[in-house]
Amino acid sequence: MTAPTKPPYGGTADSASERALGEPLHSPVIEWFDEHARDLPWRRPEAGAWGVMVSEFMLQQTPVNRVLPVYEQWLARWPRPADLAAEAPGEAVRAWGRLGYPRRALRLHGAAVAITERHGGDVPTDHAQLLALPGIGEYTAAAVASFAYGQRHAVLDTNVRRVFARAVTGVQYPPNATTAAERRLARALLPEEASTAARWAAASMELGALVCTAKNEECHRCPIAAQCAWRLAGKPAHEGPPRRGQTYAGTDRQVRGRLLAVLRETHGPVPQAALDRVWHEPVQRARALDGLVADGLVEPLPGGLYRLPLS
């Protein structure tokens, strides 16, 4: 079998040809998912749309093993959007713990407030209404509509993009940022039936998370290895722009995390002196604190005091 001929990202292709490429992929990937999918709490029926939404916010740039305990605690405390909306946004930041990127907590709180005020406390089923919620972008709206409500949407996270890049386009990695060509390909690959499309979205994501990983991919476990354009081409090395790496030690992100840790662990205002002790370099420390204030994660008070936001 020869590798399918596909244009590079940004090129043109006949959509009928793209749809034809998707058909032989659907059944083996979904059947693999039926057998190997992880039992995750947000995939259980009792999670509901709110549980799915919470998981999608938490899983952005954060691995499952770190999300699980925080997710369970979050849903136990705030089982419905209205429960979270009734709390101060600072409590969402406190409960976020060390998941990282804490602005996600504020965005989730904002979405909960909007759901409570606009939709009677129920996560909307309509994709456009989901997209109109604060803090909800293209990916999250599609994921909630697909995973919670079984709708037909292209759900493009990093794992799915990598699977499509390798299996269909024949390259090792997708571009650093999602392109229009990727979105068009993802839509073309969607099964026609909504329930099958929703299953395909979850299955292709799980395949990228467990088998077609960024490093040390396990092609011998892959249900579509025999059809994978990248494998059939001999796994050519990545030729695009360098892949972005993530650093943490010594960065402003680390300083922000340490400052927030002090505020999370203290119920009440914190003096400047307590924050000064968390980082030795005053310029970087001040810059990080200013950034937290600008992002709405920290509220300054008179007398050199700080606290998590109350409104």
Side-chain angles (χ1 to χ4, degrees):
M1 179 178 179
T2 58
T5 300
K6 287 291 297 174
Y9 287 111
T12 59
D14 177 72
S15 60
S17 299
E18 291 175 333
R19 284 195 295 271
L21 283 169
E23 291 170 1
L25 304 178
H26 299 151
S27 292
V29 172
I30 292 172
E31 288 169 5
W32 171 87
F33 182 67
D34 290 341
E35 183 176 353
H36 297 284
R38 291 168 290 182
D39 179 21
L40 299 173
W42 45 86
R43 289 179 176 163
R44 299 168 192 161
E46 60 268 24
W50 174 238
V52 172
M53 179 175 285
V54 170
S55 75
E56 289 301 331
F57 271 82
M58 291 185 173
L59 288 165
Q60 294 168 21
Q61 298 177 291
T62 307
V64 166
N65 64 330
R66 289 182 57 201
V67 165
L68 281 169
V70 181
Y71 173 89
E72 299 280 11
Q73 294 164 12
W74 191 284
L75 268 295
R77 181 174 178 180
W78 298 309
R80 289 181 53 80
D83 301 316
L84 176 58
E87 296 260 21
E91 287 305 302
V93 176
R94 192 188 312 278
W96 199 255
R98 296 185 178 276
L99 284 183
Y101 302 99
R103 278 178 289 181
R104 293 179 293 169
L106 289 183
R107 291 172 183 149
L108 184 51
H109 182 274
V113 171
I115 290 168
T116 303
E117 294 176 348
R118 303 176 196 170
H119 303 287
D122 294 321
V123 177
T125 61
D126 181 74
H127 179 266
Q129 291 180 330
L130 286 166
L131 197 56
L133 293 172
I136 302 287
E138 175 187 356
Y139 165 77
T140 304
V144 173
S146 178
F147 301 151
Y149 295 122
Q151 296 177 15
R152 184 179 183 271
H153 295 282
V155 183
L156 270 177
D157 82 333
T158 301
N159 291 313
V160 175
R161 294 174 62 224
R162 186 169 55 252
V163 169
F164 291 174
R166 292 174 180 174
V168 180
T169 312
V171 296
Q172 185 177 16
Y173 299 116
N176 285 333
T178 306
T179 65
E182 286 181 279
R183 295 186 182 96
R184 185 178 61 115
L185 174 60
R187 290 193 297 268
L189 293 176
L190 275 176
E192 289 299 323
E193 185 183 25
S195 61
T196 305
R199 198 71 176 162
W200 161 253
S204 54
M205 185 178 295
E206 190 80 333
L207 185 65
L210 299 184
V211 176
C212 193
T213 53
K215 297 180 181 179
N216 303 316
E217 66 280 350
E218 298 186 64
C219 297
H220 64 282
R221 295 177 51 211
C222 180
I224 54 172
Q227 300 149 267
C228 175
W230 182 58
R231 178 177 172 272
L232 292 171
K235 294 186 176 181
H238 178 62
E239 293 182 352
R243 300 179 67 233
R244 293 191 297 256
Q246 290 189 345
T247 58
Y248 184 73
T251 64
D252 285 5
R253 274 189 60 216
Q254 184 181 26
V255 185
R256 285 163 61 100
R258 291 192 178 183
L259 293 168
L260 274 182
V262 174
L263 292 158
R264 283 198 311 269
E265 293 161 7
T266 306
H267 290 270
V270 173
Q272 177 77 55
L275 298 176
D276 288 345
R277 288 194 289 268
V278 306
W279 197 254
H280 63 282
E281 211 290 302
V283 174
Q284 187 179 25
R285 185 178 65 236
R287 183 173 65 242
L289 182 57
D290 288 345
L292 290 171
V293 171
D295 290 340
L297 290 161
V298 173
E299 184 178 337
L301 301 172
L305 299 174
Y306 297 86
R307 69 183 179 194
L308 296 178
L310 294 183
S311 60

